[in-house]
Amino acid sequence: MLERTAPMPADHAGQMDAIYRYQRHIYNASRKYYLLGRDRLIRDLDAGPDISVLEVGCGTGRNLIAAARRWPGARLHGFDISRAMLNTAQASVARQGLAQRVALAKADATDFERQHLWGQQSFDRIFLSYTLSMIPGWELALDEAARALSPGGSIHIVDFGQQEGLPAFWRDLLFAWLRRFDVSPRGDLRPVLEDLAVRHCLTLTFTPLYRGYAWSAVLTKD
Ligand SMILES: C[S@@+](CC[C@H](N)C(=O)[O-])C[C@H]1O[C@@H](n2cnc3c(N)ncnc32)[C@H](O)[C@@H]1O
């Protein structure tokens, strides 16, 4: 059992609401320029008919809506800790006529009760898109995702990399800016995923994207 390494702030949900209360209105338009690799992740889900998909930290629902279009037979679920973000997600999903296909809930990625929330213990595809970098107990969130994965399923991750192929000034500027939004790119993502793969008998593929701007990972379960 993994222990929490970073204390969860007493009101992490409130902190996320404070960040996104106004940002959520410009989120989709502004983030498309710098949350790179999300559409690639959605394409790689390979979620055919009746495959169950769960997004951890679904934000405005942008990815779930794109996944619903890309994978018309899939059953989609998502949750977020921020009520403000969920309100936007619910409105967007309804506007797109997808309310019957996308089930949304409020929950914490480090401890979510899937049977209670969705009436099922496991999912065929679980994805975390630019979410680990905002979760204080992100290693626990990965453990929760691994526990919620069905046999034959896969976990898909995209998040900020360490900018290893880009100039140092770029990394300093980007990371300083991200700190304003409580975003901490996880420099030890790869070893943590390697450890997760060993403990849960998963196979890891780890791919830096755009010269290390983003990191992408897929964990598969036999
Ligand atoms: C940068 S946004 C990414 C949203 C979406 N996944 C995307 O790719 O556009 C990060 C999201 O993670 C959510 N989040 C942060 N900590 C969380 C936690 N402990 N449990 C669930 N969601 C969390 C935030 O509220 C926010 O909506």
Side-chain angles (χ1 to χ4, degrees):
M1 185 75 171
L2 200 68
E3 307 245 320
R4 191 181 284 283
T5 52
M8 181 64 97
D11 188 15
H12 181 58
Q15 209 168 314
M16 292 299 106
D17 277 339
I19 289 174
Y20 288 117
R21 182 160 298 124
Y22 302 112
Q23 283 286 321
R24 68 197 166 112
H25 300 298
I26 56 160
Y27 184 93
N28 289 355
S30 56
R31 268 54 172 189
K32 76 175 168 198
Y33 298 109
Y34 68 92
L35 298 189
L36 307 181
R38 293 183 296 173
D39 292 333
R40 181 183 187 276
L41 181 154
I42 290 163
R43 182 200 68 202
D44 291 348
L45 287 176
D46 192 16
D50 216 33
I51 289 287
S52 59
V53 179
L54 173 67
E55 180 174 13
V56 175
C58 62
T60 58
R62 178 262 185 207
N63 294 334
L64 288 167
I65 290 168
R69 290 199 189 112
R70 180 71 179 80
W71 303 107
R75 293 182 286 115
L76 298 154
H77 310 74
F79 70 88
D80 203 283
I81 202 167
S82 161
R83 170 50 60 198
M85 280 301 231
L86 273 176
N87 287 346
T88 295
Q90 267 154 352
S92 304
V93 162
R95 242 189 341 266
Q96 298 295 323
L98 292 168
Q100 301 305 315
R101 277 192 63 208
V102 182
L104 295 167
K106 182 175 185 300
D108 180 348
T110 64
D111 185 13
F112 59 96
E113 187 31 78
R114 41 207 187 266
Q115 187 67 45
H116 171 69
L117 291 171
W118 299 288
Q120 66 186 76
Q121 273 298 343
S122 65
F123 297 84
D124 303 308
R125 307 283 183 270
I126 300 176
F127 69 98
L128 302 98
S129 161
Y130 288 93
T131 294
L132 290 173
S133 52
M134 290 195 88
I135 302 176
W138 62 281
E139 300 97 331
L140 287 179
L142 285 170
D143 245 61
E144 277 288 283
R147 274 195 288 276
L149 187 62
S150 301
S154 48
I155 298 174
H156 301 248
I157 296 164
V158 67
D159 216 310
F160 292 105
Q162 290 295 297
Q163 319 300 307
E164 57 274 18
L166 295 160
F169 80 86
W170 164 258
R171 176 191 148 117
D172 294 346
L173 275 176
L174 178 68
F175 282 16
W177 185 66
L178 292 176
R179 273 196 293 278
R180 297 179 52 193
F181 299 97
D182 262 8
V183 175
S184 310
R186 306 303 184 189
D188 50 349
L189 180 62
R190 188 174 192 153
V192 168
L193 290 178
E194 285 168 352
D195 177 60
L196 184 82
V198 170
R199 286 185 295 105
H200 290 271
C201 298
L202 306 172
T203 303
L204 169 67
T205 308
F206 191 92
T207 314
L209 305 175
Y210 321 115
R211 298 168 71 190
Y213 178 87
W215 286 346
S216 149
V218 179
L219 295 130
T220 52
K221 184 174 181 171
D222 286 339

